[in-house]
């Protein structure tokens, strides 16, 4: 099956800092989504981004499908940004595949 | 609009028992998919239902099964529970099936502990 790799696995930030999370995938995909998992376990959809760039407040994402990667940018980080960020891709077999996640800790 | 609702939120079962988890999708959504999350294996796709039909199934043994009702509510069942089935089970819904370009929305999950 498709391989989805996220980096870095862990990220510690000072409040106000910017950061970039990366998602690489091993095969072509129909779409790609970014999620944030809150401390209670719920996955919150951040972006549906099969290609191109999108922005939502302090968050933005870029997917370069031809090069099989996506980036999630967090600007001016806040403590509420802490949690695990997952990249999920939809390959040709339509079985959504997740990366292992990036655990972000934002310190005040 | 209410979100995806999963019940029960927490449960403890004994090895060998079976468990049924329920998922009510967002109103109007006809696709429901299920995922298992464990510390060792991460998030893994279990199955997807659309209009009461199983569209896709992940690499899980036959002990894991599911169904979808005419009102789009879905249940998943795990029989003959093993310790390794302890996990967070997440349900997600979307207006259309995977591949139709829809964002998926997750519920809060059901935490299953097998002792």
């Amino acid at each position: 099956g498709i391989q989805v790799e996220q980096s870095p696995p862990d990220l510690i930030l000072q409040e106000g800092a910017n950061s970039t999370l990366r998602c690489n995938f091993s095969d072509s995909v129909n779409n790609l989504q970014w999620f944030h998992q809150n401390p209670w376990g719920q996955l919150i959809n951040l972006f549906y981004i099969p290609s191109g760039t999108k922005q939502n407040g302090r968050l933005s994402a870029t997917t370069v499908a031809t090069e099989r990667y996506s980036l999630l940018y967090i600007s001016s980080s806040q403590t509420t940004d802490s949690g695990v960020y997952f990249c999920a891709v939809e390959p040709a077999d339509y079985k959504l595949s997740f990366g292992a996640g990036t655990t972000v800790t934002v310190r005040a | 609009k209410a979100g995806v609702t999963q019940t029960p939120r927490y449960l403890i079962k004994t090895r060998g028992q079976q468990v049924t988890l329920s998922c009510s999708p967002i109103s109007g959504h006809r696709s429901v998919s299920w995922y298992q999350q464990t510390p060792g294996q991460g998030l893994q796709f279990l199955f997807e239902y659309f209009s009461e039909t199983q569209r896709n199934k992940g690499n899980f043994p036959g002990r894991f099964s599911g169904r979808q009702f005419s009102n789009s509510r879905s249940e998943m069942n795990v029989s003959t529970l093993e310790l390794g089935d302890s996990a967070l089970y997440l349900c997600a819904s979307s207006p259309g099936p995977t591949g139709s370009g829809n964002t998926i929305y997750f519920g809060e999950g059901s935490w299953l502990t097998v002792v």
Side-chain angles (χ1 to χ4, degrees):
Chain A
I2 193 168
Q3 303 299 312
V4 183
E5 294 181 356
Q6 290 188 243
S7 60
D10 299 282
L11 192 57
I12 298 176
L13 302 168
Q14 203 62 35
E15 201 169 29
N18 303 326
S19 63
T20 302
L21 284 58
R22 187 177 180 103
C23 172
N24 292 332
F25 41 98
S26 61
D27 205 347
S28 58
V29 299
N30 299 320
N31 83 60
L32 183 146
Q33 299 182 63
W34 284 97
F35 296 91
H36 176 220
Q37 189 166 38
N38 65 25
W40 298 272
Q42 186 172 14
L43 285 163
I44 307 298
N45 188 285
L46 298 174
F47 293 102
Y48 173 95
I49 185 165
S51 63
T53 297
K54 290 188 178 180
Q55 179 153 11
N56 185 1
R58 296 181 295 100
L59 300 180
S60 63
T62 295
T63 297
V64 184
T66 52
E67 296 188 22
R68 299 180 185 167
Y69 75 89
S70 183
L71 302 173
L72 178 70
Y73 305 97
I74 305 174
S75 64
S76 305
S77 57
Q78 299 177 359
T79 55
T80 50
D81 294 329
S82 295
V84 186
Y85 290 80
F86 289 98
C87 158
V89 301
E90 180 191 301
D93 64 5
Y94 301 118
K95 297 178 183 179
L96 203 64
S97 295
F98 288 79
T102 293
T103 300
V104 174
T105 303
V106 181
R107 294 179 173 164
Chain B
K1 197 182 229 185
V4 179
T5 304
Q6 292 188 243
T7 57
R9 290 293 322 281
Y10 306 92
L11 64 165
I12 300 173
K13 291 285 188 178
T14 304
R15 264 186 307 176
Q17 288 186 315
Q18 72 163 7
V19 66
T20 299
L21 307 178
S22 179
C23 173
S24 293
I26 292 171
S27 178
H29 286 194
R30 294 167 60 197
S31 173
V32 172
S33 51
W34 289 88
Y35 303 84
Q36 181 197 64
Q37 186 176 23
T38 60
Q41 299 298 317
L43 274 155
Q44 294 185 285
F45 170 79
L46 277 160
F47 24 64
E48 180 194 4
Y49 288 88
F50 178 73
S51 294
E52 302 179 65
T53 301
Q54 187 181 86
R55 288 189 77 244
N56 228 331
K57 185 172 167 51
N59 297 323
F60 281 82
R63 300 184 297 108
F64 291 80
S65 63
R67 58 179 175 169
Q68 187 179 34
F69 302 96
S70 58
N71 62 358
S72 295
R73 189 178 69 86
S74 177
E75 289 181 346
M76 67 161 284
N77 182 277
V78 187
S79 62
T80 319
L81 284 166
E82 301 176 358
L83 295 178
D85 297 332
S86 296
L88 174 64
Y89 289 88
L90 289 160
C91 166
S93 78
S94 65
T98 308
S100 57
N102 296 128
T103 300
I104 66 172
Y105 299 88
F106 280 87
E108 293 181 302
S110 293
W111 293 88
L112 170 65
T113 301
V114 182
V115 298

